[in-house]
Amino acid sequence: MTLKKINTVLAAAFVLFILWFGTEFILVPETTAPTFGLPNYPSGDGGGFLVVKGIRDVVLALVLGVLLLTGHRRALGWALLVEAFAAYGDMTTVLAHHGSVATALGVHALTATAMAATGLSILRETRKVATAPAALTPQSV
């Protein structure tokens, strides 16, 4: 399997995973929230923030999906790198609020690192290689 195919499969998997997870936060935040890693479910009107998180995830997935479907692979690599910061931010949020260290590292940090690695791999795949100038031969002089 070529590097391009592997990168495409990984990027598509990220799109589907993030879209699914975001949709779950929008539709059933009360059952999805405990999987995020925070120790307590929000009280009062705090549940609305879970929907905001879901909308954020859906938008992140759609950005990646559009870039993947339109073939803008270099932009896709950069977007994966940038969007990895959202997952690192989720990790930091869980740790800062005394949530599950296992979830923070095993889910959020692992996802962020895999996204960043895939982004770098796509950037490597799409880089422009400088060609050496043609050597002068006696006939070309």
Side-chain angles (χ1 to χ4, degrees):
M1 189 179 282
T2 66
L3 180 61
K4 184 175 181 178
K5 285 183 183 178
I6 292 169
N7 288 337
T8 300
V9 168
L10 289 172
F14 281 119
V15 169
L16 295 175
F17 173 73
I18 297 168
L19 188 61
W20 167 74
F21 201 71
T23 302
E24 290 284 303
F25 264 97
I26 293 168
L27 299 178
V28 285
E30 63 280 349
T31 58
T32 309
T35 66
F36 187 75
L38 292 174
N40 300 314
Y41 186 80
S43 60
D45 289 336
F49 286 101
L50 298 173
V51 176
V52 170
K53 187 233 182 293
I55 292 169
R56 177 201 75 176
D57 287 350
V58 167
V59 170
L60 292 174
L62 291 175
V63 167
L64 295 176
V66 167
L67 293 172
L68 182 62
L69 290 174
T70 59
H72 296 312
R73 296 188 67 79
R74 191 137 184 93
L76 175 62
W78 281 110
L80 278 162
L81 274 175
V82 170
E83 289 188 14
F85 284 108
Y88 282 126
D90 290 346
M91 173 201 70
T92 303
T93 300
V94 171
L95 293 173
H97 290 89
H98 311 291
S100 167
V101 173
T103 302
L105 300 178
V107 175
H108 302 296
L110 188 62
T111 299
T113 304
M115 286 178 75
T118 302
L120 288 171
S121 183
I122 290 173
L123 289 174
R124 181 175 185 264
E125 163 210 323
T126 59
R127 76 174 183 256
K128 293 183 173 131
V129 179
T131 57
L136 294 176
T137 60
Q139 291 109 1
S140 66
V141 179

